[in-house]
Amino acid sequence: MTIGWCFDNTYSKLPDPFKEEIGPVPVKNPELVILNKNLSKELNLDFSNLDNKKISELFSGNSLPPGSNSIAQAYAGHQFGHFTMLGDGRAVLIGEHLSKKKDRYDIQFKGSGKTAFSRNGDGRAALGPMLREYIISEAMHNLNIPTTRSLAVVKTGEDVIRETSLQGAILTRVALSHIRVGTFQYIAARDKKDELEILLNYVIQRHYPNIQNSKNKALDLLKVVMEKQIDLVINWMRVGFIHGVMNTDNMSISGETIDYGPCAFMDIYDPKSVFSSIDQMGRYAYCNQPVITKWNLSRFAECLIPLIDKDQNKSIEMATEIINSFEKKYEEKWLNMMRDKLGLFGAEDKDKILILDLLTWMHKNKLDYTNTFCHLMNFEIEKNENFKDNDFQNWKKRWQERLKTNNNSPEKYIKLMKNVNPLIIPRNHKVEEVLNEANKSNIKPLIKLLEVLNNPYFEQKNIIDYQKPSSSKEKYQTFCGT
Ligand code: AMP
Ligand code: MG
């Protein structure tokens, strides 16, 4: 019985400046922590004939699968607004696997040791952050949000030194590709038009073949990536997800959520929510995510300027026109997303004010974002006297009036709402709780959490403990010490 690997590596065949040929650095004593069986199936991979030792050897990179070709990818990025040359400093892409349907997936080890791009880092990752990425990325997938996936986590049997000594681990990340806005920035900074053209054509062929024959490929790529990024950030806004480090190296060209560092889900609705300890200025706050998406897209557009038109001024003008259409596009899509959350069919001018009034009320009264929409769908997660408040009752009357238009019926609008309003999100305190246990080698609570996060849009029995926000008054903080 074979596992089913079907590697067809294309990125590693790109010219030298795009990557460094390097394998994972072997680890002392690999031990499997978790393997994603559902994802394995989707990838047409079967590990059931391997014992745990063999699986651990595989996902630690100690023994590479046949057909793999390990590289570290070069990229750059604006980190909190400052440009830096980066690259995979602690990850290697072992290859592109094709599923039976011929869908192509990058298979990457994160935490796999030093590369040419490690700068002062040790090339390693700790168990907590790798399991955290596993939980949140799988939760995002189940929330129907484009994201990289997590196939496995192994402990390395080695310690990594951060503020304290932590258990080392490697995450196997699966992505449509790991090409970022920062990949374009890296190549553009080298100032060689032929290399930029190679990257443009590669990306179009791999991700957007429908624009392959368009008259202006660079301009059309900017347009489609903008659509993808807008759709992505609207999904984040829908569920209250805060990415935390929207640097240009963490923005995928395929439109998937990538690089789960200090991300978190908002509980009490506050547009200024920030969880990351290093984001002192709130650059990546909840309400700033669309603003930053546009900023990042502007950096992407700058890379494409040499390819849009021979006349640089004309190029800039054309790219600017597209970037300037961001706000209108975003607002339209955001309004439609919020209409869905409220079960509204059709579009009326006064919808915007209805939506904003609810958000303002939630903010003022410190209501939980997820559970307020649950309340509107008649799922009472916890008793809250605030829902008796006059302002809310008046708002509800206006909402119910609006619901009556466009042939709406309770069956129809509840169905619409149930598709977009999760009954459960990865609550920060729950995530911390299961990670604490996993660090002590008790993986059971983590498995249980993953199980309830598997079906966020369906009613499940006895999960109230997972649905309630933390009762602690302390502000939740995430750290980049990954
Ligand atoms: P991130 O904050 O995870 O997006 O990483 C930003 C950059 O720092 C990327 O180029 C990473 O590869 C690199 N990096 C992060 N942690 C380490 C580490 N422990 N060792 C080497 N490079 C790292
Ligand atoms: Mg990154």
Side-chain angles (χ1 to χ4, degrees):
M1 250 315 264
T2 56
I3 296 170
W5 289 115
C6 180
F7 283 106
D8 175 43
N9 309 321
T10 57
Y11 202 88
S12 61
K13 297 199 178 84
L14 292 178
D16 285 346
F18 285 73
K19 86 278 166 164
E20 181 209 10
E21 301 260 351
I22 187 165
V25 180
V27 302
K28 217 196 266 166
N29 192 14
E31 185 191 333
L32 181 70
V33 180
I34 189 165
L35 173 66
N36 192 334
K37 300 225 165 74
N38 290 339
L39 178 58
S40 306
K41 269 198 205 114
E42 285 176 45
L43 297 172
N44 306 117
L45 294 173
D46 180 3
F47 302 101
S48 60
N49 286 311
L50 298 186
D51 59 23
N52 261 17
K53 187 163 181 292
K54 285 251 160 53
I55 297 179
S56 310
E57 291 286 332
L58 170 64
F59 288 112
S60 62
N62 277 7
S63 79
L64 283 171
S68 61
N69 183 349
S70 179
I71 57 166
Q73 291 175 298
Y75 54 84
H78 273 92
Q79 301 189 298
F80 288 87
H82 303 284
F83 185 76
T84 322
M85 296 302 253
L86 299 161
D88 289 332
R90 53 152 170 186
V92 287
L93 172 65
I94 64 157
E96 295 151 41
H97 166 73
L98 299 181
S99 70
K100 282 193 179 144
K101 286 192 289 181
K102 300 289 170 211
D103 291 328
R104 181 178 297 272
Y105 298 96
D106 267 12
I107 309 288
Q108 193 205 56
F109 292 151
K110 184 170 174 180
S112 54
K114 280 190 191 167
T115 72
F117 308 108
S118 297
R119 295 175 293 163
N120 295 322
D122 59 2
R124 293 298 185 192
L127 178 64
M130 294 306 99
L131 286 175
R132 197 163 187 278
E133 170 152 350
Y134 189 111
I135 298 167
I136 313 268
S137 64
E138 288 306 298
M140 292 289 270
H141 172 73
N142 292 319
L143 286 163
N144 301 329
I145 299 177
T147 175
T148 62
R149 305 280 306 270
S150 299
L151 183 59
V153 174
V154 291
K155 289 199 261 194
T156 59
E158 296 171 10
D159 288 342
V160 294
I161 311 299
R162 297 295 180 259
E163 266 119 62
T164 56
S165 177
L166 302 166
Q167 300 179 75
I170 295 172
L171 168 81
T172 303
R173 181 157 72 176
V174 177
L176 290 179
S177 86
H178 286 81
I179 303 167
R180 309 138 192 268
V181 167
T183 313
F184 277 84
Q185 289 182 294
Y186 183 91
I187 298 298
R190 291 171 48 83
D191 217 8
K192 296 201 173 98
K193 197 172 162 192
D194 56 329
E195 287 179 4
L196 200 53
E197 243 154 19
I198 289 171
L199 181 58
L200 174 83
N201 288 323
Y202 181 86
V203 162
I204 289 177
Q205 196 187 2
R206 182 157 174 185
H207 293 299
Y208 305 108
N210 54 325
I211 59 168
Q212 220 156 17
N213 297 317
S214 79
K215 273 200 210 109
N216 194 328
K217 285 189 282 187
L219 202 65
D220 282 350
L221 182 66
L222 177 59
K223 281 185 201 160
V224 290
V225 171
M226 179 154 106
E227 293 291 336
K228 287 270 177 184
Q229 297 282 333
I230 290 177
D231 290 342
L232 183 65
V233 74
I234 282 185
N235 265 312
W236 294 354
M237 304 308 271
R238 170 170 69 83
V239 299
F241 175 77
I242 300 162
H243 183 285
V245 255
M246 290 173 70
N247 296 335
T248 52
D249 51 304
N250 293 337
M251 302 301 286
S252 150
I253 292 295
S254 75
E256 289 183 323
T257 313
I258 188 171
D259 251 356
Y260 293 87
C263 61
F265 280 75
M266 168 171 75
D267 30 40
I268 288 172
Y269 179 75
D270 179 357
K272 292 213 166 75
S273 291
V274 176
F275 295 106
S276 169
S277 59
I278 56 166
D279 192 1
Q280 299 289 339
M281 308 292 285
R283 179 179 168 92
Y284 300 136
Y286 176 75
C287 64
N288 235 10
Q289 298 192 123
V291 181
I292 290 294
T293 303
K294 182 184 173 190
W295 193 89
N296 288 340
L297 284 163
S298 308
R299 304 291 77 75
F300 181 48
E302 282 163 8
C303 299
L304 297 172
I305 295 297
L307 304 180
I308 293 174
D309 197 279
K310 279 192 217 95
D311 176 347
Q312 194 187 17
N313 289 331
K314 211 167 148 199
S315 252
I316 293 173
E317 204 178 297
M318 287 157 94
T320 308
E321 194 186 323
I322 292 170
I323 295 292
N324 284 346
S325 68
F326 181 95
E327 278 87 358
K328 190 162 172 277
K329 287 209 165 95
Y330 176 81
E331 164 141 335
E332 227 170 78
K333 289 192 175 187
W334 180 81
L335 276 173
N336 283 334
M337 176 275 285
M338 291 303 292
R339 283 189 183 103
D340 291 351
K341 276 179 87 69
L342 289 175
L344 307 178
F345 289 96
E348 293 189 16
D349 286 344
K350 57 179 198 263
D351 292 346
K352 187 174 172 182
I353 190 83
L354 185 73
I355 292 162
L356 292 178
D357 283 350
L358 174 67
L359 292 175
T360 308
W361 177 82
M362 273 164 64
H363 186 201
K364 197 172 127 200
N365 293 284
K366 299 192 166 56
L367 265 282
D368 186 85
Y369 182 65
T370 304
N371 292 352
T372 300
F373 288 98
C374 289
H375 172 84
L376 294 176
M377 298 189 298
N378 304 319
F379 288 106
E380 215 54 79
I381 308 295
E382 47 183 357
K383 283 233 166 332
N384 195 322
E385 290 299 309
N386 275 307
F387 291 128
K388 291 185 181 150
D389 155 314
N390 262 344
D391 287 348
F392 182 70
Q393 289 304 322
N394 287 334
W395 178 87
K396 223 170 154 183
K397 274 184 206 139
R398 284 162 57 207
W399 175 53
Q400 274 154 354
E401 277 308 305
R402 170 63 177 87
L403 279 173
K404 286 179 195 154
T405 55
N406 297 309
N407 289 326
N408 211 341
S409 66
E411 296 77 46
K412 269 168 71 183
Y413 75 73
I414 291 284
K415 188 165 175 242
L416 178 62
M417 292 174 81
K418 276 185 174 173
N419 282 332
V420 293
N421 294 318
L423 301 173
I424 177 160
I425 51 164
R427 294 279 176 189
N428 303 322
H429 65 288
K430 275 287 164 196
V431 173
E432 292 304 317
E433 200 179 295
V434 305
L435 291 181
N436 261 333
E437 287 302 311
N439 267 320
K440 294 184 275 181
S441 294
N442 175 16
I443 197 79
K444 275 195 191 137
L446 190 148
I447 304 286
K448 173 73 188 157
L449 176 63
L450 288 171
E451 208 178 282
V452 295
L453 290 171
N454 236 337
N455 285 306
Y457 301 109
F458 292 94
E459 251 185 291
Q460 301 176 63
K461 291 211 170 75
N462 303 324
I463 58 160
I464 193 93
D465 194 34
Y466 294 88
Q467 293 172 297
K468 285 196 294 197
S470 166
S471 51
S472 163
K473 291 270 174 294
E474 240 170 77
K475 186 180 177 312
Y476 182 65
Q477 266 213 327
T478 54
F479 298 91
C480 226
T482 53

